[in-house]
C-alpha cells in the first residue's frame, strides 16, 4: 500500500508540474500577439480492483471497489476565444474579428507547399513589395484579374509594385443628369431658351481638354402637341462642333432631346428611349481627341436603364455632367486593406485598384491543430481539412487594418490557477513524505 502511495504521489507531482508549466507559459505569453491560452486537463488513472461485482450468500449485490492509482494529464487544450483588438495605426497590422486564420507559407523550398495558419497579423511589406509575416513567411491570397474579377483558384503571394502607376484613359462616355426647366419664359415664348454645361475630358495620354454641351429649347408642349423638344450640340475647347459619326459635317443636322408631359425623356436624337436598353439614351459624336487624324467616338448619355435620367420639371435648370470615364495618369499614393481583406492601391488620379484578397482559413476542430511555434499552426488528421474562404462572405469574420489581436490570457485567473497548482503540487509531495514515514515504520517492525 505504501509503495502504491509513492507512485500516486509521483503521478500528482508530474501532473501538477505540467499544470504549473502550462499556467506559467500562459503568463509568459500574456503580451504575445494573438496568443491563445492553454489549459491542462487531468484524468484519473485506472484503479486497482479490491472487490469485483458479485453477490453475498444472502443474495445482496456487492458494489465494485477499486483504489485509484493516481492522476495523469489527459490533454492540454487551447482556448481559441477572441482576444481584444488594439489599435496600432500601422496599415499592415491586421486583426481577425471572428473565426479563422491567416494563411502563410515559405517562399520556396520543400516546405513551401505547407500552409501555416496564424492569428498574429503583425505583417509588413518587404523590399519586393511582398506581404510577409514577422519571420518572413509570405501571406497568401487570391488575385484580381484586369477586369476586377477575383480568381479563387491557386493561392498566390500577396504583393504589389511599390513603383506602380495608374495609366491614362481616353474619355469615351459622358453622362448628364439633372433637370431642364419646364417653365416658360416671362413673355410666354419658350423657343430660344438656352443653357450650357462644360466638363473636362482626357485623351489617350491623359492630357485634359474641355467640352461644352449647349441646349436650346425649340418646342414647348401645348394642347395639340404635349411634346417638349430641345436641340443640343457638343463643342470642343476651341468651339468646334462635334459631328455624328458618318453624318453631315459641322453639326448641320441638329441633335434633339424630347420629353413627354410627365417630364420624362422619350427620345434622344430621334431614337425612342427603351428603359430596357441603355444605349437608347445616348447620342454619339466623332472627335479626333488625340490629334492623330483618327476619329474617336464620344458617347453622350442622358440616362440609363435604372431610371436615372435628365428630366424636365418645373423649377430651376440643374443639368450637370455626372460622370466621364476618362482620366489622367496617376502615381501611387498609398494602399489600404478593406474589411473583406482586399488590398487596394490608391492613385493620385483617384483610381482605386484591388489587387489581392486575403485568404482566410478555418478547420472544424481548432484544438486538433499542431503548434509549430512563432504563432503558427498546421493541420492534422484531428483538426480536419483546411477550409478556405473570404472574410465577410464565406466566414462571419472581418479584417481590421491598423489593429492587432491581443492575447486572450486573463492574468488574474492565471495567477489564481498558479496558486492552485502550487498547492496541489505541495499536497502531492506530502503524499510522498507520508508514504516514506509509513515505510520507515514498517522497516522498524523487525527490530
Amino acid at each position: 500500500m505504501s509503495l502504491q502511495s509513492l507512485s500516486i504521489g509521483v503521478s500528482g507531482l508530474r501532473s501538477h508540474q505540467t499544470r504549473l508549466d502550462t499556467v506559467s507559459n500562459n503568463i509568459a505569453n500574456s503580451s504575445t500577439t494573438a496568443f491563445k491560452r492553454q489549459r491542462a486537463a487531468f484524468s484519473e488513472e485506472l484503479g486497482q480492483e479490491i472487490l469485483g461485482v458479485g453477490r453475498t450468500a444472502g443474495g445482496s449485490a456487492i458494489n465494485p471497489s477499486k483504489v485509484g492509482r493516481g492522476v495523469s494529464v489527459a490533454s492540454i487544450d487551447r482556448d481559441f476565444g477572441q482576444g481584444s483588438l488594439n489599435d496600432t495605426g500601422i496599415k499592415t497590422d491586421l486583426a481577425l474579428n471572428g473565426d479563422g486564420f491567416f494563411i502563410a507559407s515559405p517562399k520556396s523550398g520543400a516546405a513551401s507547399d505547407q500552409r501555416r495558419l496564424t492569428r498574429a497579423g503583425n505583417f509588413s511589406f518587404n523590399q519586393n513589395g511582398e506581404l510577409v509575416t514577422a519571420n518572413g513567411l509570405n501571406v497568401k491570397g487570391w488575385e484580381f484579374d484586369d477586369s476586377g474579377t477575383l480568381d479563387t483558384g491557386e493561392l498566390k503571394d500577396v504583393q504589389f509594385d511599390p513603383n506602380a502607376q495608374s495609366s491614362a484613359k481616353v474619355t469615351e462616355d459622358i453622362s448628364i443628369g439633372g433637370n431642364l426647366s419646364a417653365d416658360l419664359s416671362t413673355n410666354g415664348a419658350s423657343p430660344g431658351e438656352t443653357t450650357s454645361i462644360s466638363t473636362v475630358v482626357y485623351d489617350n495620354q491623359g492630357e485634359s481638354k474641355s467640352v461644352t454641351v449647349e441646349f436650346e429649347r425649340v418646342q414647348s408642349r401645348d394642347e395639340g402637341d404635349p411634346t417638349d423638344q430641345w436641340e443640343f450640340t457638343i463643342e470642343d475647347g476651341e468651339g468646334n462642333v462635334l459631328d455624328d459619326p458618318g453624318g453631315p459635317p459641322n453639326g448641320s443636322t441638329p441633335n434633339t432631346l424630347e420629353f413627354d408631359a410627365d417630364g420624362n425623356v422619350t427620345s434622344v436624337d430621334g431614337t425612342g428611349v427603351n428603359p430596357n436598353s441603355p444605349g437608347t439614351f445616348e447620342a454619339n459624336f466623332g472627335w479626333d481627341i488625340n490629334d492623330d487624324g483618327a476619329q474617336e467616338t464620344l458617347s453622350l448619355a442622358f440616362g440609363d436603364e435604372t431610371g436615372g435620367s435628365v428630366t424636365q420639371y418645373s423649377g430651376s435648370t440643374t443639368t450637370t455632367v455626372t460622370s466621364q470615364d476618362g482620366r489622367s495618369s496617376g502615381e501611387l499614393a498609398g494602399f489600404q486593406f478593406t474589411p473583406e481583406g482586399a488590398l487596394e492601391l490608391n492613385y493620385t488620379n483617384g483610381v482605386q485598384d484591388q489587387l489581392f484578397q486575403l485568404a482566410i482559413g478555418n478547420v472544424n476542430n481548432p484544438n486538433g491543430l499542431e503548434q509549430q511555434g512563432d504563432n503558427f499552426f498546421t493541420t492534422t488528421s484531428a483538426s480536419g481539412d483546411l477550409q478556405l474562404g473570404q472574410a465577410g462572405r464565406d466566414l462571419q469574420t472581418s479584417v481590421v487594418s491598423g489593429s492587432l489581436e491581443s492575447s486572450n490570457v486573463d492574468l488574474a485567473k492565471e495567477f489564481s490557477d498558479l496558486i492552485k497548482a502550487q498547492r496541489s503540487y505541495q499536497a502531492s509531495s506530502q503524499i510522498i513524505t507520508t508514504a516514506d514515514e509509513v515505510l520507515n515504520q514498517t522497516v522498524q517492525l523487525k527490530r
Side-chain angles (χ1 to χ4, degrees):
M1 180 68 70
S2 298
L3 291 175
Q4 191 64 36
S5 298
L6 279 173
S7 62
I8 291 174
V10 170
S11 71
L13 289 178
R14 290 174 176 170
S15 299
H16 290 294
Q17 179 63 57
T18 301
R19 185 182 182 189
L20 280 168
D21 294 341
T22 302
V23 175
S24 299
N25 185 62
N26 290 341
I27 294 174
N29 285 280
S30 60
S31 297
T32 300
T33 301
F35 176 80
K36 304 303 179 184
R37 69 176 298 272
Q38 294 176 292
R39 177 196 65 185
F42 296 164
S43 65
E44 181 186 10
E45 292 284 352
L46 180 63
Q48 178 184 3
E49 186 173 82
I50 303 300
L51 294 175
V53 179
R55 292 184 178 275
T56 64
S60 299
I62 299 176
N63 295 328
S65 299
K66 292 186 178 182
V67 176
R69 292 186 176 180
V71 64
S72 63
V73 177
S75 65
I76 298 179
D77 304 316
R78 191 175 292 271
D79 176 11
F80 281 92
Q82 177 77 48
S84 61
L85 304 186
N86 297 325
D87 181 53
T88 66
I90 302 174
K91 291 182 180 180
T92 53
D93 282 346
L94 305 178
L96 291 178
N97 188 13
D99 297 333
F101 301 85
F102 296 111
I103 311 298
S105 67
K107 181 68 175 178
S108 60
S112 61
D113 294 333
Q114 186 179 32
R115 296 171 180 171
R116 302 185 187 180
L117 316 182
T118 183
R119 296 275 301 189
N122 48 327
F123 304 143
S124 62
F125 284 108
N126 63 16
Q127 70 276 13
N128 298 320
E130 300 169 334
L131 187 66
V132 295
T133 64
N135 50 1
L137 272 65
N138 287 84
V139 181
K140 297 293 184 177
W142 294 291
E143 189 173 12
F144 287 93
D145 62 21
D146 293 337
S147 65
T149 302
L150 185 65
D151 181 5
T152 56
E154 179 185 1
L155 287 180
K156 297 183 178 180
D157 297 337
V158 176
Q159 58 185 321
F160 77 98
D161 181 3
N163 300 313
Q165 289 186 324
S166 175
S167 60
K169 182 181 184 300
V170 64
T171 299
E172 297 177 331
D173 297 288
I174 299 175
S175 296
I176 294 179
N179 184 61
L180 287 169
S181 178
D183 297 337
L184 301 178
S185 59
T186 56
N187 60 8
S190 58
E193 296 175 15
T194 62
T195 185
S196 62
I197 53 177
S198 299
T199 187
V200 173
V201 295
Y202 298 91
D203 63 14
N204 280 333
Q205 295 181 334
E207 182 180 350
S208 62
K209 300 184 178 183
S210 64
V211 294
T212 301
V213 182
E214 183 171 321
F215 297 92
E216 180 180 358
R217 193 170 191 171
V218 296
Q219 178 181 328
S220 297
R221 63 182 182 275
D222 54 33
E223 293 182 358
D225 188 352
T227 301
D228 276 317
Q229 187 178 88
W230 296 72
E231 290 183 354
F232 63 92
T233 57
I234 182 168
E235 301 177 354
D236 62 18
E238 298 176 355
N240 300 315
V241 177
L242 306 187
D243 300 317
D244 293 342
N250 301 320
S252 58
T253 302
N255 304 287
T256 59
L257 186 64
E258 294 185 355
F259 298 88
D260 60 19
D262 295 325
N264 300 315
V265 176
T266 58
S267 74
V268 177
D269 203 15
T271 301
V273 169
N274 181 354
N276 298 318
S277 178
T280 61
F281 288 88
E282 298 176 353
N284 295 322
F285 299 87
W287 184 18
D288 184 12
I289 190 173
N290 300 313
D291 296 325
D292 58 1
Q295 291 279 313
E296 286 79 28
T297 299
L298 182 66
S299 295
L300 187 64
F302 297 93
D304 55 40
E305 73 278 13
T306 64
S309 62
V310 175
T311 59
Q312 183 179 263
Y313 299 144
S314 177
S316 302
T317 293
T318 60
T319 49
T320 184
V321 173
T322 57
S323 67
Q324 64 84 29
D325 63 348
R327 62 174 182 260
S328 62
S329 60
E331 304 291 333
L332 183 63
F335 67 89
Q336 63 186 12
F337 286 92
T338 69
E340 294 75 29
L343 171 60
E344 289 185 346
L345 300 187
N346 302 320
Y347 296 92
T348 55
N349 60 356
V351 171
Q352 285 188 326
D353 189 16
Q354 288 190 330
L355 295 185
F356 284 90
Q357 172 93 40
L358 293 175
I360 308 299
N362 206 359
V363 293
N364 292 331
N365 176 27
N367 264 304
L369 294 171
E370 183 176 356
Q371 182 181 1
Q372 297 294 325
D374 294 329
N375 290 325
F376 289 114
F377 300 90
T378 54
T379 58
T380 66
S381 58
S383 68
D385 293 334
L386 179 62
Q387 304 160 17
L388 299 178
Q390 302 173 43
R393 177 179 173 180
D394 306 311
L395 298 169
Q396 296 299 316
T397 301
S398 61
V399 177
V400 183
S401 178
S403 296
L404 289 177
E405 183 182 3
S406 64
S407 166
N408 65 354
V409 170
D410 182 346
L411 281 177
K413 184 180 186 307
E414 297 302 328
F415 281 120
S416 175
D417 289 346
L418 188 65
I419 294 173
K420 292 178 182 179
Q422 180 186 14
R423 294 302 183 192
S424 297
Y425 187 91
Q426 290 175 342
S428 295
S429 66
Q430 188 62 44
I431 293 174
I432 296 176
T433 300
T434 302
D436 178 61
E437 293 177 355
V438 171
L439 281 175
N440 185 54
Q441 291 293 330
T442 303
V443 171
Q444 296 292 332
L445 288 177
K446 70 176 183 177
R447 294 182 181 179

